[in-house]
Amino acid sequence: MSRTEAPLPRLASPGSIAELSELMARAHSQNRTVAVFGTGTAFDDHRPAATPGLLIDLSGLAEVVEHDPEGGTLIAGAGAKIADLDALVAQAGQELTPDLPADRTEAGSSLGGAIATAARGPRSGGRAGLRDAVLGIRAVLADGTTTRSTHALDESLSGWDLSSLLIGSWGTLGIIAAAEIRLSPRPEASGYVWIPGAEAAAELRVSRLAPAAIELERPPGSLAATVALIEGEEAHVEDGLNWITEHYAGATVCARPAWWARRAQVPVIVRVSASPDFVPTLIRLLARLEDTIGYPLQLRGSAAGVVDLGVGAPDTESAIATRVVLEHLRTWGLHNLGARLLCAPASVWDEVDAWGPLPGISLRASIKDRLDTKHLLAPGRGLGGI
């Protein structure tokens, strides 16, 4: 019996890219569905995955292949933990260029997982995101092919960048095995300032001050507040904090908020994308919606227009509350706003229109058909249920 035909385990932990490639070739020949994980910090996001025929643990691919402080780059295996990588490059006064969620990083988020799920933190609006910071990806495709550039892809995808396809693909197009990522100098100093209300957020976005991040939080039943992060040289940080406290009534220098870069701890989370100038209006509409439906609503997110809305409904009413919230959001103007379910109990996903209109979904589906002809890689896990 050839290695390709040998029976597959239900759980495997490859120690090299070659082993991962062989596992995928065997899974492909045996028509086994496959899911991968690093540390599982994003398992609750998107529709719950069906039990796969083969579950692959990528924690064995955690080697730091190269750290080039002068060139400002790092190459590491997909299973390497973000926290470990950040600690390593900090010794050279650097940090990973893309900003990532603190709660996931502290829970052990891996490099491959962060890329595959397009993870983003508060500073994402003011610095290069994953699509710009990821310089290259080495991946294993559904049939076991190992590739690091478009030359090994389907000819009909000529011109597509492999990294762009895999970032945010949720493991549905290929398995990220290693990546090269850009590094940035670590800021000398940082400071936070709290401002009552949401109106200051839009003004700060276009100000010369250019904060590193501007976040909004609205606890259930409460008024919203804006928190801005200033970072850089100590003199710049001090000047920035002073300018904000002088220009906005009630503004106060504060410590890093406990909720900063962390998701709301509620059963249901809806991700809302809106134009930045619509965010203050969105917050006012949510306050009215909360009063109307009687479920507590918590908003947390960026002044750039990507916010998470926590729906605090009892377990017996989660689906009802989620449906009502999604339907209301989608009546407020699709050209201004998009809303999709991000995290919820398994039962809720089957009872609501979780995604809503998704421009370009047919193109995503066609790429899935070409790269994973048997639909073995994390079926249903991607954007739009791909």
Side-chain angles (χ1 to χ4, degrees), residues 104-380:
R104 282 179 55 179
T105 298
E106 292 169 5
S109 177
S110 65
L111 177 62
I115 295 171
T117 60
R120 53 179 289 138
R123 296 185 297 170
S124 296
R127 56 168 50 205
L130 284 166
R131 296 191 185 281
D132 295 317
V134 174
L135 303 176
I137 287 177
R138 189 170 183 190
V140 176
L141 303 183
D143 61 358
T145 301
T146 301
T147 183
R148 66 177 79 211
S149 62
T150 56
H151 74 272
L153 301 181
D154 187 293
E155 291 183 1
S156 62
L157 296 175
S158 177
W160 283 87
D161 175 64
L162 177 64
S163 298
S164 294
L165 291 175
L166 295 183
I167 293 171
S169 69
W170 290 82
T172 59
L173 301 180
I175 300 174
I176 298 169
E180 180 179 9
I181 196 162
R182 181 178 287 121
L183 305 174
S184 296
R186 189 172 290 269
E188 178 182 308
S190 62
Y192 297 83
V193 59
W194 179 90
I195 311 166
E199 287 69 23
E203 297 175 4
L204 287 173
R205 281 193 72 250
V206 296
S207 70
R208 293 183 180 180
L209 182 62
I214 308 167
E215 290 286 285
L216 295 140
E217 198 212 18
R218 180 198 176 273
S222 302
L223 297 176
T226 301
V227 176
L229 165 63
I230 310 296
E231 60 182 18
E233 296 181 354
E234 289 188 6
H236 168 74
V237 172
E238 184 176 356
D239 289 345
L241 297 178
N242 289 337
W243 186 89
I244 293 176
T245 55
E246 291 172 1
H247 281 75
Y248 293 99
T252 307
V253 174
C254 64
R256 172 172 167 159
W259 51 264
W260 188 267
R262 300 174 188 278
R263 179 174 297 173
Q265 299 300 305
V266 291
V268 175
I269 296 177
V270 173
R271 175 149 292 176
V272 182
S273 300
S275 56
D277 57 355
F278 187 71
V279 172
T281 301
L282 172 64
I283 292 174
R284 290 193 294 271
L285 291 172
L286 287 174
R288 296 177 191 171
L289 178 60
E290 183 180 58
D291 291 339
T292 300
I293 65 178
Y295 298 113
L297 301 178
Q298 178 175 356
L299 179 141
R300 184 177 297 172
S302 170
V306 179
V307 300
D308 287 344
L309 178 63
V311 184
D315 291 343
T316 55
E317 300 179 34
S318 290
I320 297 172
T322 304
R323 185 184 306 110
V324 170
V325 169
L326 285 170
E327 289 177 353
H328 274 79
L329 288 170
R330 290 168 183 164
T331 63
W332 292 344
L334 291 175
H335 57 287
N336 281 327
L337 184 148
R340 62 180 177 86
L341 189 59
L342 180 67
C343 178
S347 59
V348 173
W349 286 88
D350 296 327
E351 297 185 36
V352 301
D353 176 5
W355 303 102
L358 287 173
I361 192 65
S362 59
L363 175 59
R364 293 175 183 271
S366 67
I367 293 174
K368 170 71 170 177
D369 291 339
R370 295 168 188 173
L371 291 183
D372 182 12
T373 56
K374 296 184 178 182
H375 284 215
L376 300 179
L377 285 171

